[in-house]
Amino acid sequence: MNTIVLVKQVPDTTEMNIDKETGTLIRKGVPTIINPDDLAGVEAALTLKETYGGSVTAISMGPSQTEGMLEELYARGVDECFLVSDRAYAGSDTWATSNILSTAIKSLEYDLVIAGRQAIDGDTAQVGPQIAEFLGIPQVSYVEAIDKIDDDKIFLTKAYETYSQKLSCHLPCLITTLSEMNEPRYMHAKHIFNIDKKSVKHISNEDLKLDETEVGLKGSPTKVHKTAVKSVQKKTIKLKLSPEEAAQKIIDTIQGKEGARQ
Amino acid sequence: MNYQDGKDIFIFIEQRENHIQEVSLELIGEAKKIAKTRAFEMKVVGIVIGYDTDQLVQEVVEHGVDKVIVIDQSHFAAYDTLNYTDALEQIINTYHPEILLVGGTVIGRDLAPRLSARVHTGLTADATHLAFDETDKHSSLLYVTRPAFGGNLMATILCSEHKPQMSTIRPGVFDKPERETANEASVIAFNEHFTNDASVEILERVEKHIDMVAIEDANVIVSAGRGVKHCLPLIKSLAHKMGGEVGASRALIDEGFVKKPHQVGQTGKNVKPATYIACGISGAIQHTAGMEKSETIIAINTDEHAPIFNVADLGIVADAKAVLSELNARLKQL
């Protein structure tokens, strides 16, 4: 069972603040983390390896600083890590990103590709299914449990809004995982000592040879037109009141509204 | 993909067990609204894929589309990623939609990215606002706005060089149009031959035994944030007395005080009750994104600079616990 798991380094969005003067996000000093849904994918891949044998390969796309995160994955027990990085890839939207990552994956052997359901910075949930299409393999998204692997099939539980579904899918395939599906393991001392012996392998556009019209900003069908911190200005009546006054004011407001409706 | 002749808005009508998902109907309403702002005729076209779909088609027509394209074949009864992608690819190749909107459900967000990769076009995820260029009424370029970075930022995305312009849309953001039995539309049966891919096999449906509350349907929501995490009984009691439901900010869900189905906001539910009472909620965009459309918003917070006051109709700078106790006592008397 050879599994490729896709991992993204993301800013911890719960730690993010807005510069009220400029209306932009302050990214400086915001800690980076392994995207939670991806970390569940790593854990799932390691569990599969323990049960069925084989290998776990992690691939990330991002700037060179991403290497630190991949080294951490070695410490968790991943066998091989690749960093796909090239200046030409900057500004890629989900289509271009999927195009790049799927090209990198095509040179590797795999039975299963795992991607996190979505990254907490972009929240698009698009790269997994798009990579599956580029690879020409079936996909199952929103996986909350891997039940078993039997011959050439993987048995999964998929989460819907208010129910779940048990299904099977022919291998090779791609699944996207939810962070709720497992508890990621800690880094292991045995593996931490191995980090020195294992280095992150780099893949650039010299390897992938993609045309500049299909990567980066130029190769992205979608463009960010503008970003804004959401401003909602309403005419708020703001009052400092005692609890008694406040309760009365609230009751009046609600009843006044009911009166107006009748 | 790139073609010149597209000018209509297509909507993927999502059905599960022959029930149309609400978001698909919401999209019809919004598509009609924005289509009307154009100086040229822009039709709203529903795509129905399923089996034994007559009732569905009728429902789509009565919600106001101009045209329905129907694929009615037995192997399309239940959603399947590859089969539905094939079907929509052929519809795109045949009818050249300018825009294709898909509800941002588990199914929509599985299907739309696969399809966008297949036909090489741009896809914007989980949008909450759609608009055309106001200054150029002949333009069909869609300005799609969506929250990013956990709701901290709103990004407007364009897809100007590829077609169709695709987007998944968050459920509950737009209003469902009235159903009018007098509405009429042309119905086109698109019964080409489709191969049935059997890579994925559905084995069984498993019900989740979670606390199923539908706060989206509540008329009143009393919502709790970090500031009141130790007086939840007061929140519950008030919600109960007002015939409403309990809501909560993400902080309380993450900390385990309140269960996930009660979560309001970016990563929870979108609600628009008649009355929304935000107690001890600071009002991060993460939260306000999901409740700012409520009819009347009352906010109680000790911090007079809390951003929740920016979206409130009535803001009360006070200790929410004390106000809640007082409200509970008075409502008993009513």
Side-chain angles (χ1 to χ4, degrees), chain A residues 154-211:
Chain A
I154 186 165
F155 290 77
L156 303 159
T157 309
K158 171 172 175 147
Y160 280 83
E161 289 84 353
T162 56
Y163 56 95
S164 302
Q165 199 176 53
K166 297 261 179 207
L167 40 82
S168 69
C169 184
H170 277 281
L171 295 168
C173 70
L174 181 146
I175 65 172
T176 76
T177 50
L178 304 181
S179 60
E180 302 92 285
M181 80 185 290
N182 55 36
E183 286 289 330
R185 68 194 60 196
Y186 290 106
M187 288 177 258
H188 196 281
K190 177 180 81 180
H191 298 307
I192 292 175
F193 291 129
N194 277 335
I195 293 178
D196 286 345
K197 294 182 211 149
K198 298 188 170 187
S199 60
V200 172
K201 296 184 176 64
H202 289 254
I203 297 177
S204 73
N205 205 39
E206 277 180 32
D207 306 300
L208 301 184
K209 297 186 173 56
L210 290 162
D211 194 90

Side-chain angles (χ1 to χ4, degrees), chain A residues 5-72:
Chain A
V5 55
L6 299 165
V7 189
K8 187 181 184 186
Q9 188 173 47
V10 292
D12 187 347
T13 56
T14 56
E15 299 279 321
M16 219 160 218
N17 283 308
I18 291 157
D19 183 332
K20 283 187 181 142
E21 302 275 300
T22 60
T24 52
L25 285 180
I26 306 168
R27 295 203 199 198
K28 213 179 161 187
V30 176
T32 56
I33 54 173
I34 301 177
N35 183 54
D37 284 340
D38 302 352
L39 196 52
V42 172
E43 178 60 35
L46 291 170
T47 308
L48 284 176
K49 183 187 163 183
E50 285 160 2
T51 315
Y52 302 98
S55 67
V56 178
T57 304
I59 303 181
S60 186
M61 180 170 138
S64 54
Q65 301 90 291
T66 313
E67 202 167 317
M69 174 194 72
L70 290 169
E71 282 169 354
E72 194 185 318

Side-chain angles (χ1 to χ4, degrees), chain B residues 17-319:
Chain B
E17 292 166 359
N18 275 10
H19 290 286
I20 294 176
Q21 298 289 300
E22 290 282 299
V23 63
S24 305
L25 302 175
E26 292 162 14
L27 290 181
I28 295 174
E30 187 62 17
K32 283 179 62 166
K33 254 186 231 167
I34 59 170
K36 274 191 199 132
T37 67
R38 299 298 82 194
F40 54 94
E41 191 194 15
M42 194 168 216
K43 288 198 178 81
V44 174
V45 183
I47 303 169
V48 174
I49 301 175
Y51 183 53
D52 199 8
T53 57
D54 289 356
Q55 294 289 328
L56 304 184
V57 171
Q58 188 58 28
E59 196 178 337
V60 171
V61 169
E62 290 179 5
H63 280 90
V65 295
D66 301 303
K67 194 157 100 178
V68 188
I69 295 168
V70 189
I71 298 178
D72 192 314
Q73 294 182 20
S74 60
H75 73 267
F76 287 114
Y79 173 72
D80 176 273
T81 309
L82 292 174
N83 288 332
Y84 273 53
T85 302
D86 283 348
L88 285 165
E89 179 192 14
Q90 289 206 35
I91 286 177
I92 291 170
N93 288 338
T94 308
Y95 296 100
H96 296 175
E98 172 65 44
I99 291 165
L100 174 60
L101 303 178
V102 177
T105 61
V106 167
I107 285 178
R109 297 186 71 180
D110 181 79
L111 171 67
R114 180 115 198 175
L115 180 64
S116 74
R118 175 82 55 93
V119 302
H120 192 177
T121 194
L123 171 64
T124 302
D126 204 26
T128 54
H129 187 257
L130 301 173
F132 287 120
D133 190 340
E134 278 174 31
T135 56
D136 178 5
K137 294 199 184 309
H138 293 277
S139 164
S140 54
L141 184 61
L142 190 64
Y143 290 69
V144 185
T145 303
R146 65 179 302 263
F149 288 98
N152 289 306
L153 199 73
M154 299 303 289
T156 302
I157 313 284
L158 303 177
C159 173
S160 55
E161 283 158 29
H162 292 261
K163 286 183 184 177
Q165 304 174 62
M166 279 183 68
S167 183
T168 54
I169 312 287
R170 176 174 303 192
V173 174
F174 299 122
D175 295 323
K176 194 169 90 169
E178 292 289 323
R179 187 171 181 168
E180 312 254 0
T181 47
N183 282 340
E184 286 180 9
S186 57
V187 177
I188 299 165
F190 190 75
N191 282 325
E192 303 294 311
H193 175 72
F194 296 101
T195 51
N196 184 9
D197 184 284
S199 309
V200 175
E201 192 185 345
I202 299 168
L203 304 171
E204 63 173 314
R205 178 181 160 126
V206 185
E207 298 306 326
K208 276 185 199 166
H209 297 288
I210 49 167
D211 183 11
M212 288 301 302
V213 283
I215 58 169
E216 303 96 310
D217 302 331
N219 198 40
V220 176
I221 294 176
V222 185
S223 209
R226 259 201 191 112
V228 297
K229 65 182 177 192
H230 297 299
C231 46
L232 291 174
L234 286 174
I235 299 269
K236 280 182 193 159
S237 154
L238 182 62
H240 179 70
K241 281 178 187 166
M242 296 180 72
E245 290 283 356
V246 172
S249 70
R250 192 172 83 180
L252 289 207
I253 310 296
D254 287 350
E255 292 177 32
F257 284 94
V258 181
K259 291 208 173 102
K260 178 85 180 166
H262 292 273
Q263 189 191 339
V264 174
Q266 162 83 9
T267 49
K269 289 172 175 165
N270 280 297
V271 296
K272 35 191 173 189
T275 305
Y276 190 91
I277 307 180
C279 309
I281 294 175
S282 64
I285 298 172
Q286 148 74 236
H287 185 76
T288 55
M291 48 65 80
E292 65 191 3
K293 287 195 170 169
S294 306
E295 236 172 82
T296 301
I297 297 171
I298 300 170
I300 315 170
N301 204 300
T302 45
D303 175 10
E304 63 178 302
H305 302 295
I308 190 74
F309 289 127
N310 296 335
V311 298
D313 299 282
L314 171 64
I316 296 195
V317 184
D319 174 31

Side-chain angles (χ1 to χ4, degrees), chain A residues 14 133 141 236-237 248 257, chain B residues 110 118 250 274 309 315 330:
Chain A
T14 56
E133 170 62 23
S141 54
T236 306
I237 308 168
Q248 194 55 49
K257 208 174 78 168
Chain B
D110 181 79
R118 175 82 55 93
R250 192 172 83 180
F309 289 127
R330 289 187 188 218

